[in-house]
Amino acid sequence: MKTFPRLLPRWRHLLQVALTAGLLAAHGAQAKTIDFSASLATPVVQAGKAQSAFLKVALTGFELASQGDRPLANVAIVIDKSGSMSGERIERAKEAAAMAVNGLGSNDIVAILAFDNTVDVVVPATKVSDKNRITQAIYNIQVAGGTGLFAGVSKGAAEVHKFLDKTRVNRVILLSDGQANIGPSSPAELGQLGAMLARQGISVTTIGLGTSYNEDLMTQLAANSDGNHAFVENSRDLVRIFQREFGDVGSVVAQEVELTIRLKHGVRPVRILGREGEITNGVVRLRMNQLYSQQEKYVVLEVEVPAGKAGAQMDLAAVDVSYLNMHSKSKDNLSRAVAVSFSASTEAVAQATDKKVMESAVQQVSNEMGKEALRLRDSGKVEEAKQVMEANSNYLKKQATTLGSAFAPAPALAAMETESRRQAQGLESKDNAEWNVSRKKMKEDQFKLEKQQR
């Protein structure tokens, strides 16, 4: 009996330790972080000479366990109601917007805007507590006037700003079928607007309807804000496009994603593929607004590796990523180190090749060639454009064979080769209407590959 009082505090202490450990373990089991990899396409390179290599930094969003895990939305839907939207187009646009609103939760926030010469705030930013009122306001939108696209996006962003919250998905969704003809209207000006909104944590998704909109303007606005882009040739597809877009809104798992790649030992950066970024004194910095559940987004950095001795290994880069975890509502920081080895054996170099990383690099190199062909075609240099696309097709065919199995070429690259040859034929079209459609499809495909858009 005399020993019991002395033992009791000890048992209490042990119990507290056990409970604390259990709580920490439970917290750890529930904690979700993104998958993060930094890999060389050729982790073993030929000794004795300087050469280029591809470094892929990939981020994959974690799985959302349930609908209750999805982040809250803060969205402005901005609809073009200029005269060209009359008839089926505006009716399909209303239907798609109403469907999107009905899919939101009562704690989500939505604003509805419509623009022609001026901008009407049809529904100011509000919680989605009265869906009937919001959808009725959508169906009351009437067409008239010109296309003040810049003002429409700016006013939509102002509505998002009313409830701007880094733990929400803050987005402007723009639907337009025409050329911006009121206010700032160049791709550069809209691109600057997109970049400014990205710095504020707002992305802009652009949906181009029909064949009269400016695809350069729409893709640049989306790209600079890290939003999505879609070319919708037929208005009957708008509901499907809105469903996909709002599926993305509900699956964001990380925001404010910042990547830093610090190159070492005289490794020289050559170019960034798949993302816009800055290179300063061997340090590469990139930013992504958002990352989606179970989706990989990546950047490929081409570097020049200095000559090394056979059997040696060299640290190539240190890679850091920070992001706002939408599940834990806290900042996560992750790091990876990348090294390269040197060998005198060409067989060892080939066997060590990471085919998945190399395939991503090939896709991005091919995409750059496609963009160059489009620039040449726009300058009237049709034959030069066709030559670039022919070289692109041959490059894809060779890489598909190299990276495929003994029985079949790499499927994704083989499909890109087929599409590249089809696009090469489209470059020589003398029918302006036909080329207009082909060009919009090329821009959309290039955008989706570059940004890894679903």
Side-chain angles (χ1 to χ4, degrees):
M1 294 294 293
K2 291 181 179 179
T3 59
F4 182 74
R6 291 196 298 270
L7 289 174
L8 187 57
R10 187 178 179 185
W11 281 110
R12 282 177 177 167
H13 172 71
L14 291 173
L15 181 60
Q16 286 174 341
V17 170
L19 286 171
T20 301
L23 289 170
L24 287 172
H27 177 75
Q30 293 172 359
K32 299 179 180 181
T33 59
I34 65 173
D35 288 334
F36 166 39
S37 65
S39 310
L40 284 172
T42 50
V44 179
V45 299
Q46 196 74 38
K49 63 177 182 179
Q51 60 211 282
S52 66
F54 294 108
L55 169 62
K56 177 183 177 181
V57 179
L59 309 172
T60 304
F62 52 78
E63 182 179 3
L64 291 174
S66 66
Q67 181 69 11
D69 280 347
R70 80 165 182 84
L72 294 174
N74 177 22
V75 179
I77 302 174
V78 181
I79 300 172
D80 183 347
K81 68 180 185 79
S82 60
S84 59
M85 284 287 292
S86 63
E88 184 180 24
R89 288 186 176 182
I90 194 65
E91 295 308 315
R92 296 288 186 180
K94 293 177 187 179
E95 179 186 358
M99 176 277 302
V101 168
N102 282 318
L104 293 173
S106 58
N107 287 320
D108 291 317
I109 292 169
V110 71
I112 309 296
L113 300 94
F115 67 92
D116 47 26
N117 295 350
T118 59
V119 184
D120 295 333
V121 181
V122 178
V123 177
T126 182
K127 283 192 174 183
V128 188
S129 54
D130 188 346
K131 294 182 179 180
N132 289 335
R133 179 182 67 84
I134 297 171
T135 55
Q136 186 58 55
I138 290 170
Y139 282 114
N140 287 339
I141 294 173
Q142 301 296 319
V143 298
T147 309
L149 193 148
F150 187 99
V153 174
S154 298
K155 190 64 176 176
E159 290 299 311
V160 171
H161 262 286
K162 291 179 179 179
F163 292 90
L164 190 65
D165 183 342
K166 65 181 182 180
T167 65
R168 288 182 179 268
V169 180
N170 305 292
R171 185 170 300 186
V172 174
I173 299 172
L174 168 69
L175 168 65
S176 179
D177 74 335
Q179 304 275 339
N181 54 27
I182 297 172
S185 57
S186 71
E189 289 169 315
L190 270 295
Q192 289 169 5
L193 175 61
M196 180 189 72
L197 294 177
R199 290 191 293 271
Q200 298 167 5
I202 300 173
S203 60
V204 183
T205 285
T206 59
I207 301 171
L209 176 60
T211 59
S212 297
Y213 73 92
N214 184 331
E215 61 270 26
D216 294 326
L217 181 154
M218 296 285 258
T219 53
Q220 196 155 333
L221 174 57
N224 286 11
S225 67
D226 205 24
N228 297 326
H229 171 67
F231 164 40
V232 183
E233 194 169 0
N234 193 313
S235 59
R236 288 190 294 272
D237 290 331
L238 279 175
V239 168
R240 175 179 59 82
I241 296 298
F242 267 68
Q243 285 175 332
R244 186 178 69 190
E245 177 63 20
F246 277 82
D248 272 357
V249 168
S251 67
V252 173
V253 297
Q255 296 196 137
E256 300 179 354
V257 183
E258 295 182 352
L259 280 170
T260 304
I261 306 171
R262 293 180 172 85
L263 300 175
K264 300 185 176 184
H265 295 290
V267 178
R268 186 178 67 85
V270 177
R271 57 176 170 167
I272 302 170
L273 298 166
R275 291 279 152 187
E276 295 294 325
E278 299 177 353
I279 302 176
T280 306
N281 298 324
V283 179
V284 181
R285 290 185 173 86
L286 309 100
R287 181 182 172 90
M288 302 177 192
N289 248 1
Q290 293 159 345
L291 181 67
Y292 303 106
S293 173
Q294 297 181 289
Q295 182 194 13
E296 180 187 75
K297 287 200 172 186
Y298 66 86
V299 61
V300 173
L301 178 64
E302 184 178 0
V303 299
E304 185 179 274
V305 181
K309 294 181 180 179
Q313 187 180 68
M314 184 184 78
D315 291 337
L316 185 135
V319 185
D320 299 308
V321 59
S322 69
Y323 63 95
L324 175 64
N325 187 317
M326 299 293 279
H327 181 70
S328 66
K329 311 301 183 189
S330 62
K331 276 278 188 179
D332 288 348
N333 297 280
L334 303 170
S335 298
R336 296 286 185 272
V338 184
V340 63
S341 299
F342 299 89
S343 175
S345 167
T346 55
E347 183 178 352
V349 171
Q351 287 180 346
T353 298
D354 187 323
K355 291 186 177 182
K356 183 178 179 181
V357 172
M358 183 61 83
E359 184 172 296
S360 296
V362 169
Q363 288 177 321
Q364 295 300 332
V365 170
S366 170
N367 206 34
E368 290 300 313
M369 294 174 75
K371 288 192 281 187
E372 175 60 20
L374 193 55
R375 283 192 288 267
L376 288 168
R377 174 63 169 79
D378 288 343
S379 300
K381 300 176 181 178
V382 178
E383 286 304 316
E384 290 93 330
K386 286 173 59 181
Q387 289 171 11
V388 170
M389 288 303 286
E390 181 65 23
N392 189 20
S393 301
N394 293 336
Y395 169 70
L396 288 165
K397 181 177 182 179
K398 179 181 178 181
Q399 293 296 330
T401 302
T402 301
L403 299 175
S405 68
F407 307 101
L413 299 185
M416 283 185 68
E417 182 210 343
T418 300
E419 180 62 16
S420 177
R421 296 194 188 281
R422 187 195 66 77
Q423 289 177 351
Q425 294 177 347
L427 290 172
E428 57 188 353
S429 174
K430 293 181 172 59
D431 185 312
N432 289 335
E434 185 179 88
W435 168 241
N436 186 28
V437 173
S438 295
R439 191 181 191 281
K440 284 178 168 57
K441 288 180 177 177
M442 283 184 71
K443 291 287 289 189
E444 181 188 38
D445 289 346
Q446 289 168 359
F447 181 94
K448 287 182 175 180
L449 181 57
E450 184 174 42
K451 300 296 183 182
Q452 299 96 51
Q453 180 183 325
R454 287 188 280 202

